[in-house]
Amino acid sequence: MPVRIPDDSDFSSFKDQCLSPDGWSSRYNKAGVTVWCREQDSSSVQKIKMRIVCKDVTAETLYDVLHDTSYRKKWDTNMIDTYDIGRLTVNTDVGYYSWKCPTPLKNRDFVTMRSWLPLGSDYMIINYSVKHPQHPPKKDYVRALSLLTGYLIQSNSATSSTLYYLTQVDPRGSLPKWVVNRVSQFVAPKAMRKIYKASLKYPEWKRKHDPTLKPWMYPEQNTLPSISPADLTLQRADSLENIDESGVSEEKHSDDEET
């Protein structure tokens, strides 16, 4: 299937999902982080939504942190690799991301099309998985599928903001229940706090690392090669490897501790 670049209606729908309480069940609410889960009627893939209030962090700073791949390598300890592949429009690109899964599961990776939109005091970034002919699934990784993943950042004041993260990802594998539970109870809240802590340190870091380079804000700075939507197709689950990891037993992980 051909890809479709998100339009205003897609961003509006995403924002509504982030803000609406309807159909969501709270799974975690502690130390400023809330996690909700939602089972989809038409899909077996669970949708997760998170929220954290970020005091002393502006919405603009959060937006920059989530875009800045150079800085991400400093704070995202679950990430193995990330890089941009090419751009489709001034606010849409394609990129690669791989991350460590809890031992003894296989590591996962994605190729996604990402779009972003600053809209008044709101900022949004959304993505979904695509197939790029030069970036097929890799050996030793399971190519996962993002049905919809994104961030909504809302400004609360001149010095405070709220971050929402919504994701519906098919990890391509029959995962044991402990993995699903661990994501909502430990991994997701920890990831939100990690973004918050990274955002507090970003202004100082950015002052020393290409302070004027922000291609997500200034398209003329974008040096990525152009990609045509015709070069991409929608990534479908049935074309990806589906491994059975349901029998994998839980091991104790130090990152289960709250930080």
Coordinates of all heavy atoms in Angstrom, one line a residue, residues 44-116:
S44 N -5.3 -6.6 18.0 CA -4.8 -7.3 19.2 C -3.7 -6.5 19.8 O -3.1 -6.9 20.8 CB -4.4 -8.7 18.8 OG -3.3 -8.7 17.9
V45 N -3.3 -5.4 19.1 CA -2.1 -4.7 19.6 C -2.6 -3.6 20.6 O -3.4 -2.7 20.2 CB -1.4 -4.0 18.4 CG1 -0.2 -3.3 18.9 CG2 -1.0 -5.1 17.4
Q46 N -2.0 -3.6 21.8 CA -2.4 -2.7 22.8 C -2.0 -1.3 22.5 O -0.9 -1.0 22.0 CB -1.9 -3.2 24.2 CG -2.4 -2.4 25.4 CD -1.9 -3.0 26.7 OE1 -0.7 -3.0 26.9 NE2 -2.8 -3.4 27.5
K47 N -2.8 -0.3 22.9 CA -2.4 1.1 22.8 C -2.1 1.6 24.2 O -2.9 1.4 25.1 CB -3.6 1.9 22.1 CG -3.2 3.3 21.8 CD -4.3 4.0 21.1 CE -4.5 3.6 19.6 NZ -5.4 4.4 18.9
I48 N -1.0 2.3 24.4 CA -0.6 2.9 25.6 C -0.5 4.4 25.5 O 0.0 4.9 24.5 CB 0.7 2.3 26.1 CG1 0.6 0.8 26.3 CG2 1.2 2.9 27.4 CD1 1.9 0.1 26.7
K49 N -0.9 5.1 26.6 CA -0.8 6.6 26.6 C -0.2 7.0 27.9 O -0.5 6.4 29.0 CB -2.2 7.2 26.5 CG -2.3 8.7 26.6 CD -3.6 9.2 26.2 CE -4.7 8.9 27.1 NZ -6.0 9.6 26.8
M50 N 0.7 8.0 27.9 CA 1.3 8.4 29.1 C 1.3 10.0 29.2 O 1.2 10.6 28.1 CB 2.8 8.0 29.1 CG 3.0 6.5 29.3 SD 4.6 5.9 28.8 CE 4.2 5.5 27.1
R51 N 1.4 10.5 30.4 CA 1.4 11.9 30.6 C 2.4 12.3 31.7 O 2.4 11.6 32.8 CB 0.0 12.4 30.9 CG 0.0 14.0 31.1 CD -1.4 14.4 31.6 NE -1.7 13.9 32.9 CZ -2.9 13.7 33.4 NH1 -4.0 14.1 32.7 NH2 -3.1 13.3 34.7
I52 N 3.2 13.3 31.6 CA 4.0 13.8 32.6 C 4.0 15.3 32.6 O 4.1 15.9 31.5 CB 5.4 13.3 32.6 CG1 6.3 13.7 33.7 CG2 6.1 13.6 31.2 CD1 7.6 13.0 33.8
V53 N 3.9 16.0 33.7 CA 4.0 17.4 33.8 C 5.5 17.8 34.0 O 6.1 17.2 34.9 CB 3.2 18.0 34.9 CG1 3.4 19.5 35.1 CG2 1.7 17.7 34.7
C54 N 6.0 18.6 33.2 CA 7.4 19.0 33.2 C 7.6 20.4 33.7 O 7.6 21.4 33.0 CB 8.1 18.8 31.8 SG 7.9 17.1 31.2
K55 N 7.9 20.5 35.0 CA 8.1 21.8 35.6 C 9.5 22.3 35.2 O 10.4 21.5 35.1 CB 8.0 21.7 37.1 CG 6.6 21.3 37.6 CD 6.6 21.2 39.1 CE 5.3 20.7 39.6 NZ 5.3 20.5 41.1
D56 N 9.6 23.6 35.0 CA 10.9 24.2 34.6 C 11.4 23.7 33.3 O 12.6 23.8 33.0 CB 12.0 23.9 35.7 CG 11.6 24.4 37.1 OD1 11.1 25.6 37.1 OD2 11.8 23.7 38.1
V57 N 10.5 23.3 32.4 CA 10.9 22.9 31.0 C 9.8 23.5 30.1 O 8.6 23.3 30.3 CB 10.9 21.4 30.8 CG1 11.2 21.1 29.3 CG2 12.0 20.8 31.7
T58 N 10.2 24.3 29.2 CA 9.3 24.9 28.2 C 8.8 23.9 27.2 O 9.5 22.9 26.9 CB 9.9 26.1 27.5 OG1 10.9 25.7 26.7 CG2 10.4 27.2 28.5
A59 N 7.7 24.2 26.6 CA 7.2 23.3 25.5 C 8.2 23.3 24.4 O 8.5 22.2 23.7 CB 5.9 23.8 25.0
E60 N 8.8 24.4 24.1 CA 9.8 24.5 23.0 C 11.0 23.6 23.2 O 11.5 22.9 22.3 CB 10.2 25.9 22.8 CG 9.1 26.9 22.3 CD 8.3 27.5 23.4 OE1 8.4 27.0 24.5 OE2 7.6 28.5 23.1
T61 N 11.5 23.6 24.5 CA 12.6 22.8 24.8 C 12.3 21.3 24.7 O 13.1 20.5 24.1 CB 13.1 23.1 26.3 OG1 13.6 24.4 26.3 CG2 14.2 22.1 26.7
L62 N 11.1 20.9 25.2 CA 10.7 19.5 25.0 C 10.7 19.1 23.5 O 11.1 18.0 23.1 CB 9.3 19.3 25.6 CG 9.2 18.8 27.1 CD1 7.8 18.7 27.5 CD2 9.9 17.4 27.2
Y63 N 10.1 19.9 22.7 CA 10.0 19.7 21.3 C 11.4 19.5 20.7 O 11.6 18.6 19.9 CB 9.3 20.9 20.7 CG 8.9 20.8 19.2 CD1 8.1 19.7 18.8 CD2 9.4 21.7 18.3 CE1 7.7 19.7 17.4 CE2 9.0 21.6 17.0 CZ 8.2 20.6 16.5 OH 7.8 20.5 15.2
D64 N 12.3 20.4 21.1 CA 13.7 20.3 20.5 C 14.4 18.9 21.0 O 15.0 18.3 20.2 CB 14.6 21.4 21.0 CG 14.2 22.8 20.4 OD1 13.4 22.7 19.4 OD2 14.6 23.8 20.9
V65 N 14.2 18.6 22.2 CA 14.8 17.3 22.8 C 14.3 16.1 22.0 O 15.1 15.2 21.6 CB 14.5 17.2 24.2 CG1 14.8 15.8 24.7 CG2 15.2 18.2 25.1
L66 N 13.0 16.1 21.7 CA 12.4 14.9 21.0 C 12.9 14.9 19.5 O 12.8 13.8 18.9 CB 10.9 14.9 21.1 CG 10.4 14.8 22.5 CD1 8.9 15.0 22.5 CD2 10.7 13.4 23.0
H67 N 13.3 16.0 19.0 CA 13.7 16.0 17.6 C 15.2 15.8 17.4 O 15.7 15.3 16.4 CB 13.4 17.4 17.0 CG 12.1 17.5 16.3 ND1 11.8 16.8 15.1 CD2 11.0 18.2 16.6 CE1 10.6 17.1 14.8 NE2 10.0 18.0 15.7
D68 N 16.0 16.2 18.4 CA 17.5 16.3 18.3 C 18.1 14.9 18.5 O 18.4 14.4 19.6 CB 18.0 17.2 19.4 CG 19.4 17.7 19.0 OD1 20.2 16.9 18.4 OD2 19.7 18.9 19.4
T69 N 18.4 14.2 17.3 CA 19.0 12.9 17.4 C 20.4 12.9 18.0 O 20.8 11.9 18.6 CB 19.0 12.2 16.0 OG1 19.7 13.1 15.1 CG2 17.6 12.0 15.5
S70 N 21.1 14.0 17.8 CA 22.4 14.0 18.4 C 22.4 14.0 19.9 O 23.1 13.3 20.6 CB 23.2 15.3 18.0 OG 23.4 15.3 16.6
Y71 N 21.4 14.7 20.5 CA 21.2 14.7 21.9 C 20.6 13.4 22.4 O 20.9 12.9 23.5 CB 20.3 15.9 22.4 CG 20.3 16.1 23.9 CD1 21.4 16.3 24.6 CD2 19.0 16.0 24.5 CE1 21.3 16.5 26.0 CE2 18.9 16.2 25.9 CZ 20.1 16.4 26.6 OH 20.0 16.6 28.0
R72 N 19.8 12.8 21.6 CA 19.1 11.5 22.0 C 20.1 10.5 22.4 O 19.9 9.6 23.3 CB 18.2 11.0 20.9 CG 17.4 9.8 21.4 CD 16.2 9.5 20.4 NE 15.3 8.7 21.2 CZ 14.0 8.9 21.2 NH1 13.5 10.0 20.7 NH2 13.2 8.1 21.9
K73 N 21.2 10.5 21.7 CA 22.3 9.5 21.9 C 22.9 9.7 23.3 O 23.5 8.8 23.9 CB 23.4 9.6 20.9 CG 22.8 9.2 19.5 CD 23.8 9.5 18.4 CE 23.1 9.2 17.0 NZ 24.0 9.6 15.9
K74 N 22.7 10.8 23.9 CA 23.2 11.1 25.3 C 22.3 10.6 26.4 O 22.8 10.2 27.4 CB 23.3 12.6 25.5 CG 24.3 13.3 24.5 CD 25.7 13.0 24.8 CE 26.7 13.7 23.9 NZ 28.1 13.4 24.1
W75 N 21.0 10.6 26.1 CA 20.0 10.3 27.2 C 19.2 9.0 27.0 O 18.8 8.4 28.0 CB 19.1 11.4 27.5 CG 18.1 11.8 26.3 CD1 18.3 12.7 25.4 CD2 16.9 11.2 26.1 NE1 17.3 12.7 24.5 CE2 16.4 11.8 24.9 CE3 16.1 10.2 26.7 CZ2 15.1 11.5 24.3 CZ3 14.9 9.8 26.1 CH2 14.4 10.5 25.0
D76 N 19.0 8.5 25.8 CA 18.2 7.4 25.6 C 19.0 6.1 25.7 O 19.6 5.6 24.7 CB 17.5 7.5 24.2 CG 16.5 6.4 24.0 OD1 16.4 5.5 24.8 OD2 15.8 6.4 22.9
T77 N 19.1 5.6 26.9 CA 20.0 4.4 27.1 C 19.4 3.1 26.6 O 20.2 2.1 26.4 CB 20.3 4.2 28.6 OG1 19.0 4.2 29.3 CG2 21.1 5.4 29.2
N78 N 18.2 3.1 26.2 CA 17.6 1.9 25.6 C 17.9 1.9 24.1 O 17.7 0.8 23.4 CB 16.1 1.9 25.8 CG 15.7 1.6 27.2 OD1 16.4 0.8 27.9 ND2 14.7 2.3 27.7
M79 N 18.3 3.0 23.5 CA 18.5 3.1 22.1 C 19.8 2.4 21.7 O 20.9 2.5 22.4 CB 18.6 4.5 21.6 CG 18.7 4.7 20.1 SD 18.9 6.5 19.7 CE 20.6 6.8 20.3
I80 N 19.8 1.6 20.6 CA 21.0 1.1 20.1 C 21.6 2.0 19.0 O 22.7 2.3 18.9 CB 20.8 -0.4 19.5 CG1 20.3 -1.3 20.6 CG2 22.0 -0.9 18.9 CD1 19.8 -2.6 20.1
D81 N 20.7 2.4 18.1 CA 21.1 3.3 17.0 C 19.9 4.0 16.5 O 18.7 3.6 16.6 CB 21.7 2.4 15.8 CG 22.4 3.2 14.8 OD1 22.7 4.4 15.0 OD2 22.6 2.7 13.6
T82 N 20.1 5.2 15.9 CA 19.1 6.0 15.2 C 19.8 6.9 14.2 O 20.9 7.3 14.4 CB 18.3 6.8 16.2 OG1 17.2 7.4 15.5 CG2 19.1 8.0 16.8
Y83 N 19.1 7.0 13.1 CA 19.6 7.9 12.0 C 18.4 8.3 11.1 O 17.5 7.6 10.9 CB 20.7 7.3 11.2 CG 20.5 6.0 10.6 CD1 19.8 5.8 9.4 CD2 20.9 4.8 11.3 CE1 19.6 4.6 8.8 CE2 20.7 3.5 10.7 CZ 20.0 3.4 9.5 OH 19.8 2.2 9.0
D84 N 18.6 9.5 10.5 CA 17.6 10.0 9.5 C 18.0 9.4 8.1 O 19.1 9.4 7.8 CB 17.6 11.5 9.5 CG 17.2 12.1 10.8 OD1 16.3 11.5 11.5 OD2 17.7 13.1 11.2
I85 N 17.0 9.0 7.4 CA 17.2 8.4 6.0 C 17.0 9.4 4.9 O 17.7 9.6 4.0 CB 16.2 7.2 5.8 CG1 16.6 6.1 6.8 CG2 16.3 6.7 4.4 CD1 15.7 4.9 6.9
G86 N 15.9 10.2 5.0 CA 15.6 11.2 4.0 C 14.4 12.0 4.3 O 13.7 11.7 5.3
R87 N 14.1 13.0 3.6 CA 12.9 13.9 3.8 C 11.9 13.8 2.7 O 12.3 13.6 1.5 CB 13.4 15.3 4.1 CG 14.1 15.9 2.9 CD 14.5 17.4 3.1 NE 15.4 17.8 2.1 CZ 15.6 19.1 1.8 NH1 14.9 20.0 2.4 NH2 16.5 19.4 0.9
L88 N 10.7 13.9 3.0 CA 9.6 14.0 2.0 C 9.1 15.4 1.8 O 8.8 15.8 0.7 CB 8.5 13.0 2.4 CG 8.8 11.5 2.4 CD1 9.2 11.0 3.7 CD2 7.6 10.7 1.9
T89 N 8.9 16.1 2.9 CA 8.4 17.5 2.9 C 9.2 18.3 4.0 O 10.0 17.7 4.6 CB 6.9 17.6 3.2 OG1 6.7 17.2 4.5 CG2 6.1 16.6 2.3
V90 N 8.8 19.5 4.1 CA 9.5 20.3 5.1 C 9.2 19.9 6.6 O 10.0 20.2 7.5 CB 9.1 21.8 5.0 CG1 9.6 22.4 3.7 CG2 7.6 22.0 5.1
N91 N 8.2 19.1 6.7 CA 7.9 18.6 8.1 C 7.6 17.1 8.1 O 6.9 16.6 9.0 CB 6.7 19.4 8.7 CG 5.4 19.1 8.0 OD1 5.3 18.9 6.8 ND2 4.3 19.0 8.8
T92 N 8.2 16.3 7.2 CA 8.0 14.9 7.2 C 9.3 14.2 6.7 O 9.9 14.7 5.7 CB 6.9 14.4 6.3 OG1 5.7 15.0 6.7 CG2 6.7 12.9 6.3
D93 N 9.8 13.3 7.5 CA 11.0 12.6 7.1 C 10.9 11.1 7.4 O 9.8 10.6 7.9 CB 12.3 13.1 7.8 CG 12.3 13.0 9.3 OD1 11.5 12.3 9.8 OD2 13.1 13.7 9.9
V94 N 11.9 10.3 7.0 CA 11.9 8.9 7.3 C 13.2 8.6 8.1 O 14.3 9.1 7.8 CB 11.9 8.0 6.0 CG1 12.1 6.6 6.3 CG2 10.6 8.3 5.2
G95 N 13.1 7.7 9.1 CA 14.2 7.5 9.9 C 14.3 6.0 10.4 O 13.3 5.3 10.3
Y96 N 15.4 5.7 11.0 CA 15.6 4.3 11.6 C 15.9 4.4 13.1 O 16.5 5.4 13.5 CB 16.8 3.7 10.9 CG 17.2 2.3 11.5 CD1 16.6 1.1 11.1 CD2 18.2 2.3 12.5 CE1 17.0 -0.1 11.7 CE2 18.6 1.1 13.1 CZ 17.9 -0.1 12.7 OH 18.3 -1.3 13.2
Y97 N 15.3 3.5 13.8 CA 15.6 3.4 15.3 C 15.6 2.0 15.7 O 14.7 1.2 15.3 CB 14.4 4.2 16.0 CG 14.5 4.2 17.5 CD1 15.3 5.1 18.2 CD2 13.9 3.2 18.3 CE1 15.4 5.1 19.6 CE2 14.0 3.2 19.7 CZ 14.7 4.2 20.3 OH 14.8 4.2 21.7
S98 N 16.6 1.6 16.6 CA 16.6 0.3 17.1 C 16.8 0.4 18.6 O 17.5 1.4 19.1 CB 17.8 -0.5 16.5 OG 19.0 0.1 16.7
W99 N 16.2 -0.5 19.4 CA 16.3 -0.4 20.8 C 16.5 -1.8 21.5 O 16.1 -2.8 20.9 CB 15.1 0.4 21.4 CG 13.9 -0.4 21.8 CD1 13.6 -0.7 23.1 CD2 12.9 -0.9 21.0 NE1 12.4 -1.4 23.1 CE2 12.0 -1.5 21.8 CE3 12.7 -0.9 19.6 CZ2 10.8 -2.2 21.4 CZ3 11.5 -1.5 19.1 CH2 10.6 -2.1 20.0
K100 N 17.1 -1.7 22.7 CA 17.3 -2.9 23.5 C 16.0 -3.4 24.1 O 15.3 -2.6 24.8 CB 18.4 -2.7 24.6 CG 19.7 -2.1 24.1 CD 20.5 -1.7 25.2 CE 21.8 -0.9 24.8 NZ 22.5 -0.3 25.9
C101 N 15.8 -4.7 24.0 CA 14.6 -5.3 24.7 C 15.1 -6.0 25.9 O 16.3 -6.4 26.0 CB 13.9 -6.3 23.8 SG 12.9 -5.5 22.5
P102 N 14.2 -6.2 26.9 CA 14.7 -6.9 28.1 C 15.2 -8.3 27.8 O 14.6 -9.1 27.0 CB 13.4 -7.1 28.9 CG 12.5 -6.0 28.4 CD 12.8 -5.9 27.0
T103 N 16.4 -8.6 28.4 CA 16.9 -10.0 28.2 C 15.9 -11.0 28.7 O 15.3 -10.8 29.8 CB 18.2 -10.1 29.0 OG1 19.1 -9.0 28.6 CG2 18.9 -11.4 28.8
P104 N 15.7 -12.1 28.0 CA 16.4 -12.6 26.9 C 15.7 -12.4 25.5 O 15.9 -13.2 24.6 CB 16.5 -14.1 27.2 CG 15.2 -14.4 27.9 CD 14.9 -13.1 28.6
L105 N 14.8 -11.4 25.4 CA 14.1 -11.2 24.2 C 15.1 -10.6 23.1 O 16.1 -10.0 23.4 CB 13.0 -10.2 24.4 CG 11.9 -10.5 25.5 CD1 11.0 -9.4 25.6 CD2 11.2 -11.8 25.1
K106 N 14.7 -10.8 21.9 CA 15.5 -10.2 20.8 C 15.3 -8.7 20.7 O 14.2 -8.2 21.0 CB 15.1 -10.8 19.4 CG 15.6 -12.2 19.2 CD 15.3 -12.7 17.8 CE 16.0 -14.0 17.5 NZ 15.8 -14.4 16.1
N107 N 16.3 -7.9 20.3 CA 16.2 -6.5 20.1 C 15.3 -6.2 18.9 O 15.2 -7.0 18.0 CB 17.5 -5.9 19.9 CG 18.4 -6.0 21.2 OD1 17.9 -6.0 22.3 ND2 19.7 -6.1 21.0
R108 N 14.6 -5.0 19.0 CA 13.7 -4.6 17.9 C 14.2 -3.4 17.2 O 15.0 -2.6 17.7 CB 12.3 -4.3 18.5 CG 11.3 -5.3 18.5 CD 11.6 -6.6 19.2 NE 10.5 -7.5 19.2 CZ 10.5 -8.7 19.8 NH1 11.6 -9.1 20.4 NH2 9.5 -9.5 19.7
D109 N 13.7 -3.2 16.0 CA 14.0 -2.0 15.2 C 12.8 -1.5 14.4 O 11.9 -2.3 14.2 CB 15.3 -2.1 14.4 CG 15.2 -3.0 13.2 OD1 14.2 -3.7 13.1 OD2 16.2 -3.1 12.5
F110 N 12.9 -0.3 13.9 CA 11.8 0.3 13.1 C 12.4 1.1 12.0 O 13.5 1.7 12.1 CB 11.0 1.4 13.9 CG 10.2 0.9 15.1 CD1 10.8 0.9 16.4 CD2 8.9 0.4 15.0 CE1 10.1 0.5 17.5 CE2 8.2 0.0 16.1 CZ 8.8 0.0 17.3
V111 N 11.6 1.2 10.9 CA 11.8 2.3 9.9 C 10.4 3.0 9.9 O 9.4 2.4 9.6 CB 12.1 1.8 8.5 CG1 12.1 2.9 7.5 CG2 13.5 1.1 8.5
T112 N 10.4 4.3 10.2 CA 9.2 5.0 10.3 C 9.2 6.3 9.5 O 10.2 6.9 9.3 CB 8.8 5.4 11.8 OG1 9.9 6.2 12.3 CG2 8.7 4.1 12.6
M113 N 8.0 6.7 9.1 CA 7.8 8.1 8.5 C 7.3 8.9 9.7 O 6.3 8.6 10.3 CB 6.8 8.0 7.4 CG 6.6 9.4 6.7 SD 5.6 9.3 5.2 CE 4.0 9.2 6.0
R114 N 7.9 10.1 9.9 CA 7.6 11.0 11.0 C 7.2 12.3 10.5 O 7.8 12.9 9.6 CB 8.9 11.1 11.9 CG 8.7 12.0 13.0 CD 10.0 12.2 13.8 NE 11.1 12.8 13.0 CZ 12.2 13.2 13.4 NH1 12.5 13.2 14.7 NH2 13.1 13.8 12.6
S115 N 6.1 12.9 11.0 CA 5.7 14.2 10.7 C 5.5 15.0 12.0 O 5.2 14.5 13.0 CB 4.3 14.2 10.0 OG 4.4 13.5 8.7
W116 N 5.7 16.3 11.9 CA 5.6 17.2 13.0 C 4.9 18.5 12.7 O 4.9 18.9 11.5 CB 7.0 17.5 13.6 CG 8.0 18.1 12.6 CD1 8.3 19.4 12.4 CD2 8.9 17.3 11.8 NE1 9.3 19.6 11.5 CE2 9.7 18.3 11.1 CE3 9.1 16.0 11.5 CZ2 10.6 18.0 10.1 CZ3 10.1 15.6 10.5 CH2 10.8 16.6 9.9

